[in-house]
């Protein structure tokens, strides 16, 4: 019993001793490891900082070297007298060069006597002897290449910050000494850079000569600093002249630092970066104090928990990475499928249109073609171009890149006006009912795009009913948009779907809802999510483009509205277009006819700006046929030059939007600034800037345009300027 007790006490004593010894041993071991780690981390930080300042200094000095080469090339073969005779021109060139180099204070060209022939500061330069400067004396005896001297102060009457010289020898054709080309480099340029990157406590940076003279340093000091290379530090640098790490006490402030140094390519320059050893010790004390606070057992426990968490995190990250790869592969496949569908649809429809145009052109080239057939082929080309423009417009509308022309109009009246056209489109076997609103429903939207959307929804309803059934069009006021959900149900339930996400924010005045309801076959569940995709159609090949509903979708979203779908298989569908409602006190605008005849342009002068020469010649030829006087320029710069020579010669400027250099909108803004009374008309097939920001108040004519449209727009915007001219003529 006593033996067992003694053994138990002895075990407890050993456990008590171990409970003290183990934490102490762990603490000593952790402290030693931490000391090594902190110093290694500090060395790596110093090496990274050294790489940064080395790259910076090398680029700066190489730039200065190239600048001296440029100066030497400029004055190559020119004697001193020739340089003096060109002093003003060379002064401006040097001044321009210095202005592009923030690290250079000034540049100089000296003769063999040390007198300045030209510099970048003043003209003419004062007659001062600089032959005693180190950057001059270094080149007298022979060619030493690029010389970098010690820090100097400006010599009166010159003032400013200290500098160090960066110079090259000038030689005559026989190799004799002709003078020096020199650049005065600012140490403060390097010091400012070091201050920006030296954010760690105790950071140090320096730029110095290989003889130990310091040219620039951070933290900066007013006294001249030179490193003593005769002792142990010099021996270490001599043993590793290219790069290395040393611990040195600065003679300027007496602070001990851990420094990394590196030779700067072929230049006699060393750059260095470092940390105060006190800052490194402070890091170590900070790490050790954490062990003292929490204790060795707590540290070991924390390490175990962290290791467990790390393994768990790695496992979770691996799972997330595999899941992300799978999702990316799925999205990539979906994008490729959508791109293939879109590309195939565009290629199919445009190839059909191009086939008609190509065949018509070939037939028009045949000799002895009867006049009726010639007119028929010309009409076919015109109709095909219109269909191509409509196809492009529908694609842009789906992508929400169409340039809209918002105007105020009453949706109820517009739908009533479209009623007859829709009756013709859907056929006599479909009964049409139009349910108008009890109050005006004014919107501010593109009326042409709205009419296209209505026709597309009506044609879609006609095809769903196979030409027989009832079509109901209703206009009503709505207070909010539908929920952004997509659902579909079978014949015993009803589904609602919304194309895209719900518009952010509700208009204070609400919305106008236009619904098109049919009694057709409805939309199957598997097709519900694709009805707004471009070129998606359930019709036979050649029976539809698949762009109708995509145009409705794009127009609604770009106008700040929404399009929703409710469908029940076997009982029909309801497409509802929501547009933001305008204020009640506004009045709709009158819409001019699109097919008005061309207006005579005699007496009007147009400046046409078009970078595509063929398009520009078409516009000028067409306007000339109508009597307009035209001038064609190919870019905005030439247009401004033409207007500067006399803007009164023109009644209107007609410019393309997308051009190299200055765009048409920027040109129009410049004309508005300097020739406010000169109207500008923009034209474009597509411009991202127009679709995002609009035309900035300028009249816009979409490509492709007809001669009639061009003449009508130009005549409308230039009418008031012509009236002003006529009034001035009568007064004179």
């Amino acid at each position: 019993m006593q033996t067992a007790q003694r053994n138990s006490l002895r075990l407890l004593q050993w456990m008590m001793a171990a409970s003290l010894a183990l934490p102490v041993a762990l603490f000593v071991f952790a402290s030693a490891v931490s000391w090594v780690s902190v110093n290694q981390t500090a060395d790596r930080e110093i090496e990274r900082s050294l790489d940064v300042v080395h790259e910076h200094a090398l680029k700066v000095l190489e730039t200065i070297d190239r600048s001296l080469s440029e100066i030497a090339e400029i004055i190559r073969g020119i004697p001193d007298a020739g340089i003096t005779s060109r002093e003003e021109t060379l002064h401006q060139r040097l001044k321009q060069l210095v202005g592009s180099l923030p690290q250079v204070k000034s540049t100089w060209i000296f003769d063999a006597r040390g007198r300045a022939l030209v510099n970048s500061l003043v003209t003419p330069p004062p007659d001062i002897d600089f032959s005693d400067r180190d950057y001059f004396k270094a080149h007298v005896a022979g060619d030493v290449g690029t010389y970098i001297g010690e820090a100097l102060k400006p010599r009166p009457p010159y003032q400013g910050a200290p500098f160090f010289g960066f110079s090259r020898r000038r030689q005559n054709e026989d190799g004799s000494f002709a003078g020096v080309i020199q650049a005065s480099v600012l140490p403060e340029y390097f010091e400012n850079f070091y201050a920006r990157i030296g954010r760690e406590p105790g950071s140090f940076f320096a730029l110095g000569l290989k003889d130990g003279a310091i040219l620039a340093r951070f933290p900066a000091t007013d006294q001249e600093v030179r490193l003593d290379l005769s002792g142990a530090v010099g021996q270490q640098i001599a043993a590793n002249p290219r790069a290395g790490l040393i611990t040195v006490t600065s003679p300027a402030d007496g602070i001990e630092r851990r420094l990394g140094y590196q030779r700067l390519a072929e230049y006699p320059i060393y750059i260095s970066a470092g940390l105060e050893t006190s800052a490194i010790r402070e890091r170590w004390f900070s790490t050790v104090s954490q062990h003292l606070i929490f204790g060795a057992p707590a540290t070991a426990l924390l390490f175990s928990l962290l290791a467990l968490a790390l393994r768990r995190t790695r496992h979770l990250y691996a799972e997330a990475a595999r899941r992300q790869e799978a999702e990316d592969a799925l999205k990539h496949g979906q994008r490729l499928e959508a791109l293939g569908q879109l590309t195939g649809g565009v290629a199919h429809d445009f190839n059909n249109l191009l086939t008609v145009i190509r065949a018509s052109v070939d037939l028009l080239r045949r000799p002895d073609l009867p006049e009726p057939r010639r007119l028929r082929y010309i009409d076919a080309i015109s109709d095909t171009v219109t269909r191509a423009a409509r196809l492009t417009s529908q694609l842009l509308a789906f992508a929400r890149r169409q340039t809209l022309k918002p105007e105020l109009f009453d949706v109820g009246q517009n739908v009533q006006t479209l009623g007859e056209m829709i009756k013709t489109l859907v056929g006599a076997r479909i009964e049409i009912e139009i349910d108008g609103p009890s109050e005006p429903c004014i919107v501010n939207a593109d009326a042409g795009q709205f009419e296209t959307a209505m026709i597309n929804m009506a044609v879609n309803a006609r095809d769903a009913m196979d030409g027989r059934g009832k079509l109901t069009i209703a206009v009503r006021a709505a207070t909010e948009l539908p929920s952004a959900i997509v659902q579909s149900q079978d014949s015993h339930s009803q589904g609602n779907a919304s194309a895209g996400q719900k518009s952010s924010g509700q208009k204070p005045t609400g919305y106008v809802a236009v619904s098109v309801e049919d009694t057709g076959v409805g939309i199957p569940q598997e097709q519900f999510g694709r009805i707004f995709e471009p070129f998606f159609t359930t019709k036979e090949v050649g029976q539809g483009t698949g762009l109708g509903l995509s145009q409705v979708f794009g127009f609604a979203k770009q106008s700040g509205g929404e399009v929703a779908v409710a469908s029940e298989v076997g009982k029909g569908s309801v497409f509802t277009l929501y547009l933001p409602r305008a204020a009640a006190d506004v009045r709709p605008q009158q819409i001019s006819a699109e097919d008005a005849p061309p207006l005579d342009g005699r007496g009007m002068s147009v400046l046409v700006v078009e970078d595509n020469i063929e398009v520009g010649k078409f516009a000028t030829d067409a306007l000339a046929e109508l009597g307009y006087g035209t001038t064609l320029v190919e870019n905005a710069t030439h247009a401004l030059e033409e207007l500067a020579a006399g803007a009164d010669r023109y009644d209107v400027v007609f410019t393309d939007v997308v051009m190299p250099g200055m765009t048409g909108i920027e040109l129009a803004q410049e004309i508005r600034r300097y020739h406010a009374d000169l109207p500008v008309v923009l034209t474009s097939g597509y411009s991202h800037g127009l679709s995002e920001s609009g035309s900035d108040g300028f009249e816009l004519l979409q490509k492709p345009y007809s001669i009639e449209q061009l003449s009508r727009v130009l005549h409308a915007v230039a009418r008031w300027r012509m009236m002003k001219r006529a009034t001035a003529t009568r007064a004179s």
Side-chain angles (χ1 to χ4, degrees), residues 42-152:
D43 286 349
R44 287 195 296 270
E45 290 181 6
I46 291 171
E47 290 172 349
R48 287 196 296 268
S49 300
L50 194 63
D51 290 338
V52 173
V53 296
H54 177 273
E55 183 71 13
H56 172 261
L58 185 60
K59 288 183 178 179
V60 171
L61 295 186
E62 286 179 346
T63 301
I64 300 173
D65 222 351
R66 287 195 296 269
S67 300
L68 292 184
S69 299
E70 181 180 350
I71 297 173
E73 189 65 28
I74 292 173
I75 63 174
R76 181 187 299 276
I78 303 176
D80 291 351
I83 294 176
T84 304
S85 64
R86 303 178 187 177
E87 192 270 340
E88 177 63 32
T89 301
L90 291 174
H91 165 74
Q92 293 297 330
R93 183 68 183 88
L94 296 182
K95 185 176 180 180
Q96 180 183 7
L97 180 64
V98 171
S100 64
L101 300 175
Q103 65 269 33
V104 176
K105 180 180 181 180
S106 60
T107 55
W108 301 70
I109 302 175
F110 298 99
D111 61 16
R113 298 179 299 112
R115 307 285 178 171
L117 298 174
V118 61
N119 65 33
S120 62
L121 296 176
V122 296
T123 179
D127 187 17
I128 302 175
D129 184 9
F130 292 88
S131 61
D132 60 334
R133 291 294 202 182
D134 59 350
Y135 57 77
F136 185 91
K137 293 189 295 183
H139 299 286
V140 174
D143 188 4
V144 297
T146 299
Y147 177 80
I148 302 176
E150 296 185 4
L152 302 170

Side-chain angles (χ1 to χ4, degrees), residues 422 426 430-433 458 461 465 469-473 516-517:
I422 293 175
V426 301
I430 294 180
E431 177 186 355
I432 296 180
E433 179 181 339
M465 294 184 289
K470 181 178 180 180
L471 179 65
T472 303
I473 302 176
V516 178
E517 182 179 358

Side-chain angles (χ1 to χ4, degrees), residues 200-260:
E200 286 294 324
S203 294
F204 175 84
F205 301 94
L207 176 77
L209 297 174
K210 64 179 182 179
D211 62 1
I214 303 300
L215 301 178
R217 57 165 276 170
F218 173 82
T221 180
D222 293 333
Q223 60 181 339
E224 182 178 347
V225 182
R226 181 179 293 273
L227 188 64
D228 184 12
L229 300 180
S230 60
V233 173
Q235 295 176 2
Q236 293 183 55
I237 295 177
N240 299 282
R242 299 304 303 177
L245 284 167
I246 58 175
T247 301
V248 62
T249 301
S250 172
D253 50 21
I255 298 176
E256 185 184 63
R257 294 182 175 90
R258 180 67 170 169
L259 293 180

Side-chain angles (χ1 to χ4, degrees), residues 23 26-27 288-302:
L26 289 175
F27 176 75
V288 170
S289 64
Q290 295 176 8
H291 291 285
L292 291 174
I293 293 173
F294 295 104
T299 303
L301 178 59
L302 179 60

Side-chain angles (χ1 to χ4, degrees), residues 180-483:
V180 171
I181 302 172
Q182 184 262 350
S184 298
V185 184
L186 293 168
E188 66 180 16
Y189 176 81
F190 296 89
E191 293 171 352
N192 292 337
F193 175 76
Y194 298 155
R196 289 197 300 271
I197 64 174
R199 298 177 179 177
E200 286 294 324
S203 294
F204 175 84
F205 301 94
L207 176 77
L209 297 174
K210 64 179 182 179
D211 62 1
I214 303 300
L215 301 178
R217 57 165 276 170
F218 173 82
T221 180
D222 293 333
Q223 60 181 339
E224 182 178 347
V225 182
R226 181 179 293 273
L227 188 64
D228 184 12
L229 300 180
S230 60
V233 173
Q235 295 176 2
Q236 293 183 55
I237 295 177
N240 299 282
R242 299 304 303 177
L245 284 167
I246 58 175
T247 301
V248 62
T249 301
S250 172
D253 50 21
I255 298 176
E256 185 184 63
R257 294 182 175 90
R258 180 67 170 169
L259 293 180
Y261 65 90
Q262 189 171 355
R263 177 74 180 265
L264 200 62
E266 75 277 12
Y267 298 106
I269 291 289
Y270 277 91
I271 52 96
S272 61
L275 290 171
E276 296 179 10
T277 54
S278 61
I280 299 176
R281 286 194 298 271
E282 191 66 30
R283 295 183 182 181
W284 179 70
F285 284 136
S286 176
T287 303
V288 170
S289 64
Q290 295 176 8
H291 291 285
L292 291 174
I293 293 173
F294 295 104
T299 303
L301 178 59
L302 179 60
F303 179 82
S304 300
L305 293 176
L306 289 175
L308 179 62
L310 178 62
R311 289 195 296 271
R312 179 59 178 168
T313 302
R314 286 177 176 173
H315 177 72
L316 293 177
Y317 281 170
E319 289 293 329
R322 287 192 292 270
R323 186 164 54 251
Q324 184 65 40
E325 289 177 0
E327 292 177 356
D328 290 343
L330 177 60
K331 292 179 180 178
H332 181 67
Q334 291 174 339
R335 285 195 296 268
L336 289 179
E337 181 182 357
L339 180 61
Q341 179 179 332
L342 179 62
T343 304
V346 173
H348 175 268
D349 284 0
F350 267 101
N351 280 333
N352 287 340
L353 299 173
L354 292 173
T355 300
V356 175
I357 295 175
R358 180 61 182 268
S360 300
V361 171
D362 290 341
L363 291 172
L364 285 172
R365 288 175 175 169
R366 299 181 64 181
D368 302 328
L369 187 67
E371 184 65 16
R373 293 181 62 186
R374 186 183 69 85
L375 294 177
R376 178 155 54 88
Y377 297 149
I378 292 175
D379 290 340
I381 293 174
S382 178
D383 292 342
T384 304
V385 170
T386 301
R387 290 168 56 196
R390 187 180 302 115
L391 178 61
T392 304
S393 176
Q394 289 174 331
L395 284 171
L396 291 176
F398 168 75
R400 285 174 264 174
R401 293 294 186 269
Q402 180 79 333
T403 304
L404 301 180
K405 294 183 179 179
E407 55 186 281
L408 295 170
F409 64 92
D410 189 334
V411 175
Q413 294 181 1
N414 193 296
V415 170
Q416 291 289 347
T417 304
L418 287 173
E420 292 299 324
M421 180 186 300
I422 293 175
K423 288 180 181 179
T424 303
L425 286 173
V426 301
R429 294 189 302 171
I430 294 180
E431 177 186 355
I432 296 180
E433 179 181 339
I434 298 178
D435 185 7
S438 58
E439 57 180 336
C441 291
I442 310 298
V443 298
N444 186 19
D446 191 312
Q449 288 290 319
F450 172 76
E451 293 176 359
T452 301
M454 291 299 302
I455 292 173
N456 285 334
M457 288 191 291
V459 171
N460 183 74
R462 177 200 64 188
D463 296 339
M465 294 184 289
D466 197 19
R468 183 188 300 271
K470 181 178 180 180
L471 179 65
T472 303
I473 302 176
V475 180
R476 59 181 174 82
T479 57
E480 58 184 11
L481 294 177
S483 300

